[in-house]
Amino acid sequence: MLKATLKSLLARKLRLTLSTLAVVLSVMFVSGSLVLTDTLGRTFDNLFANIYTYTDVQVSAKAAVQQQGGGGSDPSTPFPASTVDRVAAMPGVAKATGGVFLNGATPIGKNGKVVVNQTGQQFGGSWNGEDDLVHLYQGRAPSADNEIVINNGLAVTAKIKLGDSMDVITRDQHRATYTVVGLMRYAGGRDSMAGESAVFFTTAKAQESMLGAAGQFNAIDVKAAPGVSDEQLRDTVKAGLGDQFVVQTGKELSEESSKGIKDILRYFNYVLLGFGAVALLVGVFLILNTFSIIVAQRTQELALLRAMGAARGQILRSVLLEAVIIGVIGSLLGFLVGLGLGAGGARLFVGLADGAQVASLGFPISAIVASFVIGIGVTIVAALMPALKAARIAPIAAMRESATPDRPLTRLTVSGAIITALSAGALIWGLTGAGGGTLALVFGGVLGVLIGVALLTPIISRPLVAALGAAVSWSVPGKLGRRNSSRNPRRTAITAGAVMIGIAIVTAISTIFTSLSTALGDTIDKDLAADVVVLGMQTNEIPPVLTDEQLQRIERLPDARTVAAFTLDMVDVDGERQYAASYLDPAAAGTVLKIKADEGRVDRLDAGEFMVDRKTADARKLKLGSTVEMTFTKGQRKTMTLVGITAPSNVAAGFVVDYADAKAGFAFPQAWQAFISVRDGASVAAVKDAVNTVVEDNPQVQAYTKDEYISNNQQGFDFALVIVQVLLFIALAISVLGVINTLLLSVIERTRELGLLRAVGLRRAQTWQMVTTESIVITVFGTVLGLAVGAALGAAIVTALKDVLGFGAVTLPWGLMVVYCIASIVVGGIAGLIPSIRAVRLNVLGAIAYE
């Protein structure tokens, strides 16, 4: 039996290749994502280890308000130079060097635009001389306030040479021109550590420009005396300085920095695994269909083996052995392809950050185990039903034709109807909120409906395929192709099911993102009365803001009727991190942002007062007169009193404090954004141009019309939709294999029939048209069913999330759905190529005598 199985497998190389390719596609995305995140994780571990190799202990100020993912330090908070002297006098300290180093120096290129990088790191600091990490490559150290040293990576990107001038925007959004007197490199001759830019001033200029405080620092580099470990030094300094400072060893800084990157990579990995999950789901249908084909093609062969004495168990093991062989080969190839994809993706990802070095290629155990468990497991599970069917073949079947009729669809239809009904009930129950665990019911119902519809596909295929085929039944080959596509509803359903699952998932996701994008645009359009919006593109940790002088010039524009500006910062409210806004003029903000009072006073705030929107007030159980303890970034802690509750709004929501409190407590109290309403009859475009003239010194800040502002806010959803289209491409690529397999089997089963048709006058072109029509009908059937199911499920999810998202309006992606339908016709035509070629090349006499 073993020899017979292996010979049968090798005798049908095309079938072996297609089924193995299905496993490869199913496995490679999973292994590739795991290899990619493993490689990137080790890359950033090495990167930050290199950065802090020469750091024994570092001291920084403790953040009054903990930032998301931060380690408790606040680099924007300075401390006096006397702190450096205190540290230097502590036992075990060989040297303590105060420095300024902050992600917030924006370099301007010769073209007047910001020199951006992929890392979001634009450092500005004090030049403290050369050390083990930093070396002057060319030139000298800065000695005057208008001189700087830059890293060679920035010089190459900005095309700056020694002696050239460069503009830099610093903390207070002041743009100044400096002379580049030195170029530096890092240890190992690297131009940058990870593609960042670094600008070094004199110590006094760095204190003024980066910290806004003369004679102060934001970091202390501490070197241990001989015989003192980094941990001992850390404990000594921590005990001497108290709780107002964060003291960390170089190893701790490396781990903390790496952890932040790995948290991002974890979510990136989830996205990649999502692609793998869709590939697996679609691949199951393909593998199931492939082994159904194997059993159908080997009916006489297996029956002869039964007639010669092979037991049912031997037949079962024979088919499962084929599955294991295909699973092992496919898993190995899938892992190797995924290994290449992961390594290539890591190089591409890190290549965006010039200077970083990709870690050596690794073989993560998780990727190896996942590849073989998934590949072999999925193949065996998908082959189990065809294997059981093969074991039931009677010896008498050896005297029959190669194809065997399928069993009735009654049991399958009843099962699908029950699962669909129960899942739809759970979905409706969850949408109405009648039971607990609403979201669990909705998502469970969505999954159940997908499974139920997949089981009902055979019974649905007959009328729907007949209806779709009517559009191509204008010729004899078209009619034959339509009838052939409905001849074996079970196999047609499995093939179309692979297409349906992929299209349904993509359509559901597209519906969600389209609804989000449309709702966001409608919300801004409804709640915002501004004609022009001024905001900046943030390229580092310091936000681009409007200076007071710029804001005053905008307010004096003759066609600007109302100008409202606000600033934003993270605060601590009763022990919970929360963003708080502050309007420079609450009355103007109320007009432009359509802020309406629900309770209390919202057009004016005094120091120590705040207002919130109704949704926030209800969530936190706040009423007029309620007080909260609010801690600001600069360390002030105040008892704040609620004086106003605004009507629900998606534009002006959350905590709002008085501008006097913001100026005293916010890290960057200048205006982050400004909203301008234009006088009646005035040109919006002219006002926009006038505002851009006011802010032309800062290329980070720009004015936009309301429509442009809405479009900018929707770009994230547009990008997500592009990713969804990639997901669709993966699903369709696997589905094409399923259609090819099905049609190849159809051609083999109908060999004698095709010969007879050719004998009575069916030409080669007509044969091609017949097979291609069958392919297109099956693919379009799966697409139409997927669109209907996906749109319904996407609408259900949007409705279920209305409380989380703030709206429940559903917008279907009609344009994309039409594109999917057109794409299905193209995909169907492509999938029909190989089976059509086989059908056209049949020898007429040989085909007639086939059976």
Side-chain angles (χ1 to χ4, degrees):
M1 285 298 296
L2 178 61
K3 290 182 179 179
T5 300
L6 294 177
K7 282 190 174 182
S8 172
L9 191 61
L10 294 174
R12 297 173 176 87
K13 294 181 177 59
L14 179 61
R15 186 184 69 198
L16 174 64
T17 301
L18 291 175
S19 54
T20 302
L21 187 56
V23 181
V24 171
L25 291 173
S26 300
V27 167
M28 71 179 190
F29 290 103
V30 176
S31 64
S33 63
L34 294 173
V35 170
L36 175 62
T37 50
D38 173 76
T39 305
L40 289 178
R42 289 184 294 108
T43 296
F44 286 106
D45 281 341
N46 296 340
L47 170 65
F48 290 112
N50 290 334
I51 291 175
Y52 295 108
T53 296
Y54 307 105
T55 300
D56 293 345
V57 168
Q58 187 179 92
V59 178
S60 56
K62 186 176 182 179
V65 179
Q66 297 296 314
Q67 301 299 312
Q68 181 70 35
S73 63
D74 181 10
S76 67
T77 300
F79 47 79
S82 59
T83 306
V84 182
D85 298 331
R86 286 174 57 195
V87 173
M90 293 179 182
V93 175
K95 183 180 179 182
T97 305
V100 176
F101 198 69
L102 187 63
N103 182 11
T106 307
I108 308 299
K110 292 181 178 180
N111 58 0
K113 297 182 179 180
V114 175
V115 182
V116 298
N117 59 69
Q118 301 297 326
T119 66
Q121 307 289 323
Q122 296 174 321
F123 293 109
S126 58
W127 179 259
N128 297 328
E130 296 182 87
D131 55 29
D132 293 331
L133 180 64
V134 176
H135 304 280
L136 270 177
Y137 166 58
Q138 291 181 9
R140 60 174 176 82
S143 59
D145 286 350
N146 66 339
E147 295 178 344
I148 56 175
V149 169
I150 64 175
N151 66 312
N152 201 50
L154 172 59
V156 172
T157 303
K159 299 179 181 178
I160 296 291
K161 301 187 299 294
L162 199 67
D164 286 353
S165 296
M166 170 177 274
D167 285 6
V168 181
I169 299 174
T170 50
R171 178 189 179 99
D172 58 359
Q173 301 302 297
H174 177 66
R175 178 173 177 172
T177 303
Y178 301 87
T179 301
V180 178
V181 298
L183 302 177
M184 54 76 60
R185 280 179 168 172
Y186 296 95
R190 284 177 289 182
D191 290 341
S192 69
M193 296 301 292
E196 80 287 347
S197 66
V199 179
F200 296 95
F201 310 87
T202 62
T203 298
K205 185 62 179 178
Q207 291 170 334
E208 173 194 338
S209 300
M210 299 306 302
L211 298 179
Q216 301 207 12
F217 300 100
N218 73 330
I220 305 174
D221 183 67
V222 188
K223 295 296 183 184
V228 179
S229 69
D230 293 351
E231 290 73 19
Q232 289 173 329
L233 181 61
R234 175 200 61 198
D235 295 341
T236 299
V237 175
K238 184 181 293 185
L241 290 179
D243 294 336
Q244 294 182 343
F245 293 86
V246 175
V247 185
Q248 296 169 291
T249 64
K251 182 179 179 181
E252 290 171 337
L253 288 166
S254 176
E255 291 175 350
E256 179 185 301
S257 301
S258 181
K259 180 180 180 299
I261 295 292
K262 286 182 176 179
D263 288 341
I264 298 174
L265 291 178
R266 185 183 302 115
Y267 291 105
F268 184 56
N269 191 38
Y270 292 156
V271 174
L272 294 177
L273 289 176
F275 283 86
V278 172
L280 278 174
L281 191 58
V282 178
V284 167
F285 282 83
L286 175 53
I287 297 168
L288 177 62
N289 213 18
T290 297
F291 280 92
S292 295
I293 290 171
I294 291 172
V295 172
Q297 288 184 343
R298 296 179 61 198
T299 298
Q300 287 184 320
E301 173 190 333
L302 295 173
L304 283 171
L305 289 173
R306 291 278 286 119
M308 294 169 62
R312 289 189 174 185
Q314 289 179 300
I315 300 296
L316 177 65
R317 289 192 293 272
S318 173
V319 177
L320 290 180
L321 178 61
E322 287 194 33
V324 171
I325 293 172
I326 291 172
V328 170
I329 296 173
S331 298
L332 178 60
L333 294 176
F335 170 73
L336 294 176
V337 174
L339 190 67
L341 287 176
R347 290 190 177 277
L348 178 64
F349 189 92
V350 177
L352 298 175
D354 296 333
Q357 298 178 348
V358 183
S360 59
L361 183 62
F363 296 86
I365 297 299
S366 59
I368 297 173
V369 172
S371 296
F372 284 93
V373 169
I374 290 173
I376 298 173
V378 167
T379 308
I380 291 176
V381 169
L384 187 59
M385 289 178 59
L388 292 173
K389 181 179 179 180
R392 288 194 293 265
I393 294 176
I396 194 66
M399 295 180 288
R400 298 176 183 168
E401 60 183 11
S402 61
T404 56
D406 279 327
R407 289 171 294 160
L409 299 174
T410 306
R411 184 181 301 176
L412 193 64
T413 303
V414 171
S415 300
I418 293 174
I419 293 175
T420 303
L422 292 176
S423 301
L427 186 59
I428 295 171
W429 195 14
L431 290 175
T432 58
T438 302
L439 290 180
L441 285 171
V442 170
F443 287 106
V446 166
L447 180 60
V449 168
L450 274 175
I451 296 172
V453 172
L455 294 175
L456 287 173
T457 305
I459 199 68
I460 298 173
S461 67
R462 285 175 171 168
L464 194 53
V465 164
L468 292 172
V472 292
S473 297
W474 47 270
S475 64
V476 171
K479 291 178 181 178
L480 290 173
R482 174 178 62 82
R483 291 174 180 175
N484 289 335
S485 60
S486 58
R487 175 179 292 186
N488 192 326
R490 189 185 297 268
R491 189 180 305 135
T492 297
I494 294 175
T495 308
V499 181
M500 184 270 290
I501 291 291
I503 293 290
I505 292 174
V506 170
T507 303
I509 297 174
S510 298
T511 299
I512 294 170
F513 283 121
T514 302
S515 299
L516 286 170
S517 180
T518 303
L520 177 63
D522 292 344
T523 297
I524 295 175
D525 187 58
K526 177 174 67 72
D527 291 348
L528 186 64
D531 300 299
V532 177
V533 180
V534 190
L535 72 156
M537 176 186 69
Q538 187 164 351
T539 58
N540 53 54
E541 291 180 359
I542 294 180
V545 297
L546 290 164
T547 64
D548 293 341
E549 188 270 337
Q550 288 172 334
L551 193 58
Q552 291 167 6
R553 288 177 59 189
I554 292 173
E555 290 172 341
R556 290 196 295 267
L557 292 175
D559 290 331
R561 179 171 56 190
T562 306
V563 178
F566 81 92
T567 183
L568 191 71
D569 202 0
M570 184 73 72
V571 297
D572 186 292
V573 180
D574 290 337
E576 180 181 336
R577 292 185 319 109
Q578 176 79 46
Y579 275 108
S582 181
Y583 304 128
L584 278 63
D585 182 349
T591 300
V592 179
L593 301 180
K594 297 184 180 180
I595 299 174
K596 298 179 180 178
D598 194 49
E599 277 189 83
R601 163 168 49 87
V602 299
D603 60 344
R604 178 177 59 83
L605 288 174
D606 296 325
E609 297 178 343
F610 75 99
M611 62 183 182
V612 294
D613 64 296
R614 170 55 64 186
K615 184 177 180 179
T616 303
D618 292 343
R620 301 182 70 99
K621 299 180 180 179
L622 296 173
K623 296 182 291 187
L624 290 182
S626 296
T627 60
V628 298
E629 290 296 318
M630 188 175 294
T631 303
F632 295 87
T633 301
K634 291 183 179 178
Q636 297 93 328
R637 184 178 177 86
K638 295 187 66 173
T639 299
M640 308 288 287
T641 303
L642 179 62
V643 298
I645 300 176
T646 64
S649 171
N650 289 302
V651 173
F655 285 78
V656 179
V657 302
D658 177 52
Y659 189 56
D661 289 325
K663 288 183 70 175
F666 282 13
F668 304 97
Q670 301 96 329
W672 285 37
Q673 290 188 25
F675 302 92
I676 306 163
S677 63
V678 175
R679 297 186 185 281
D680 294 339
S683 168
V684 172
V687 172
K688 170 192 165 183
D689 292 340
V691 173
N692 279 329
T693 300
V694 171
V695 299
E696 62 183 354
D697 282 345
N698 190 343
Q700 290 180 289
V701 179
Q702 189 174 347
Y704 302 89
T705 64
K706 184 177 181 179
D707 290 341
E708 291 171 340
Y709 176 67
I710 292 173
S711 178
N712 287 342
N713 278 275
Q714 292 174 322
Q715 284 181 352
F717 298 114
D718 295 338
F719 178 72
L721 285 174
V722 172
I723 295 178
V724 170
Q725 308 322 306
V726 176
L727 188 65
L728 173 65
F729 176 79
I730 295 169
L732 287 180
I734 301 175
S735 302
V736 165
L737 296 177
V739 176
I740 292 173
N741 266 356
T742 298
L743 293 180
L744 281 174
L745 174 62
S746 180
V747 169
I748 292 171
E749 288 180 340
R750 302 200 311 267
T751 298
R752 187 167 183 270
E753 173 188 320
L754 290 170
L756 288 172
L757 289 172
R758 292 292 309 283
V760 298
L762 191 70
R763 296 187 297 274
R764 287 176 179 265
Q766 291 177 311
T767 304
W768 186 295
Q769 181 183 346
M770 178 183 68
V771 177
T772 302
T773 297
E774 184 177 352
S775 174
I776 292 175
V777 169
I778 292 174
T779 308
V780 172
F781 164 58
T783 300
V784 171
L785 191 59
L787 289 174
V789 173
L793 296 181
I797 293 173
V798 170
T799 304
L801 295 176
K802 62 182 178 181
D803 292 333
V804 177
L805 302 176
F807 60 87
V810 176
T811 304
L812 295 178
W814 292 110
L816 290 175
M817 292 168 73
V818 171
V819 170
Y820 296 163
C821 285
I822 296 173
S824 70
I825 297 175
V826 175
V827 167
I830 294 173
L833 286 176
I834 295 177
S836 297
I837 292 172
R838 183 182 180 94
V840 167
R841 289 179 176 177
L842 285 176
N843 181 281
V844 176
L845 294 178
I848 294 173
Y850 178 71
E851 296 168 356

